[in-house]
Amino acid sequence: MRFSDKRIIVTGSGRGIGRAIARRFAEEGAAVAICDIDRTTAEATAGEINESGGTALAVELDVRSIESVRAMLDAVVTEWGRVDVLVNNAGITIAKPVVEFTEEEWERTLDINLKGVFRCSQLVAVQMITQGGGKIINLSSESGKTAKPNFTIYAASKFGVVGFTQGLAQELAPHGITVNAVCPGIVHTPMWEELDRVLAKRMGKKEGEILATRKDQIPLGRLEQPEDVAGVVAFLASDDANYMTGQAVNVTGGREFH
Ligand SMILES: NC(=O)c1ccc[n+]([C@@H]2O[C@H](COP(=O)([O-])OP(=O)(O)OC[C@H]3O[C@@H](n4cnc5c(N)ncnc54)[C@H](O)[C@@H]3O)[C@@H](O)[C@H]2O)c1
């Protein structure tokens, strides 16, 4: 099993892509910290993993608070002694035109999607430096490569994640720590179901119509599943990716090329 001696933190892993990533690591033998602002879903995901013979720890985490990040890291290090992989997955999307965005919505988006990645990476990097290595994987998006209407502020946060990944990769390379990002496309998660409802209402369409139209724009002909992202994250966390750092890898079914 690829990750049998690994201790892994996945933020925002109570549901959606983070949950699939955590389950994939657990299936391959890792001990996984399920960290989420929603304690109920974090406990449910950790419970599923533990019941199926894996090892998981549920930890309440708000990536908007450095104290919360510190408490989460302390809990993991107290339990398992080290952190081999950090996956910065927690994120939100508010889909609307810039002219309708409030300053509070801008701040919330950037605080979670970009500053949250900084907070978790900084504290975990200090831990990894003392250990002599590790891997950090950040969830960007196809919106981190090409911006689209209604997703402009989201894109600003996800472009930021790509830049942060590139710079941090170079800073941490001498310590044996790699830093990479994944850029998923349209992944069928609770987040996209909410987006479908919001955008359908805005455009006068029926529920489900936006997702169905988007599906037709995917060269591989199907919506992305959380497991499609989890497989690539697992690769980036494995020894097979030891010579990759500072990269932002598209996982979009053929929608994004640079
Ligand atoms: N769904 C997609 O199509 C898609 C595409 C590209 C990138 N992404 C990115 O992948 C990541 C996961 O997306 P998803 O679709 O699974 O979303 P989701 O909304 O289904 O799940 C996000 C999880 O993050 C948690 N979270 C939110 N705010 C938090 C905070 N402040 N602290 C800790 N946890 C918090 C939520 O409780 C939830 O469990 C996000 O970063 C998202 O931007 C998603």
Side-chain angles (χ1 to χ4, degrees):
M1 297 236 264
R2 271 195 300 186
F3 301 113
S4 50
D5 57 342
K6 303 295 184 204
R7 315 282 180 249
I8 297 179
I9 292 171
V10 185
T11 71
S13 46
R15 71 178 201 185
I17 295 171
R19 173 173 172 270
I21 292 169
R23 286 167 58 106
R24 174 66 186 258
F25 280 133
E27 277 161 22
E28 296 202 43
V32 191
I34 311 298
C35 306
D36 206 292
I37 195 168
D38 185 338
R39 170 167 278 282
T40 308
T41 58
E43 282 174 355
T45 301
E48 279 168 24
I49 290 173
N50 287 323
E51 274 159 33
S52 57
T55 304
L57 177 70
V59 186
E60 197 172 323
L61 166 71
D62 182 353
V63 299
R64 291 172 298 182
S65 153
I66 194 77
E67 288 75 29
S68 178
V69 175
R70 192 169 287 119
M72 176 277 291
L73 182 59
D74 283 350
V76 173
V77 173
T78 301
E79 188 77 12
W80 293 327
R82 56 186 289 123
V83 182
D84 300 290
V85 179
L86 165 68
V87 182
N88 284 307
N89 166 82
I92 60 162
T93 310
I94 301 171
K96 55 164 84 164
V98 171
V99 291
E100 293 179 20
F101 242 78
T102 66
E103 202 172 333
E104 186 279 324
E105 288 169 332
W106 160 278
E107 273 163 11
R108 186 153 34 106
T109 303
L110 273 288
D111 200 14
I112 296 173
N113 291 6
L114 184 54
K115 204 168 171 190
V117 173
F118 154 68
R119 292 186 187 98
C120 295
S121 300
Q122 188 188 50
L123 293 194
V124 172
V126 171
Q127 170 68 27
M128 286 176 171
I129 288 169
T130 65
Q131 295 169 190
K135 287 186 158 65
I136 298 176
I137 298 155
N138 300 323
L139 267 285
S140 179
S141 167
E142 63 179 18
S143 296
K145 298 287 188 75
T146 304
K148 299 275 166 56
N150 292 320
F151 292 89
T152 307
I153 313 294
Y154 180 70
S157 72
K158 294 298 186 178
F159 268 69
V161 169
V162 173
F164 181 78
T165 300
Q166 290 177 2
L168 189 65
Q170 293 167 77
E171 291 181 17
L172 295 182
H175 301 284
I177 302 166
T178 64
V179 188
N180 290 291
V182 283
C183 299
I186 300 167
V187 192
H188 199 177
T189 65
M191 176 189 272
W192 243 108
E193 284 176 6
E194 280 162 27
L195 285 173
D196 178 83
R197 275 193 290 278
V198 169
L199 292 171
K201 199 168 164 204
R202 171 177 291 280
M203 295 173 187
K205 301 201 176 198
K206 287 199 216 101
E207 254 184 47
E209 241 183 293
I210 304 284
L211 261 181
T213 312
R214 297 282 168 129
K215 185 178 141 222
D216 295 338
Q217 301 163 350
I218 303 171
L220 283 180
R222 66 171 175 85
L223 287 175
E224 187 166 351
Q225 298 303 314
E227 291 72 22
D228 292 315
V229 185
V232 177
V233 170
F235 161 69
L236 290 172
S238 76
D239 288 346
D240 286 337
N242 279 351
Y243 202 64
M244 281 178 77
T245 198
Q247 304 305 303
V249 181
N250 300 322
V251 194
T252 65
R255 281 167 52 85
E256 185 59 69
F257 298 101
H258 78 285

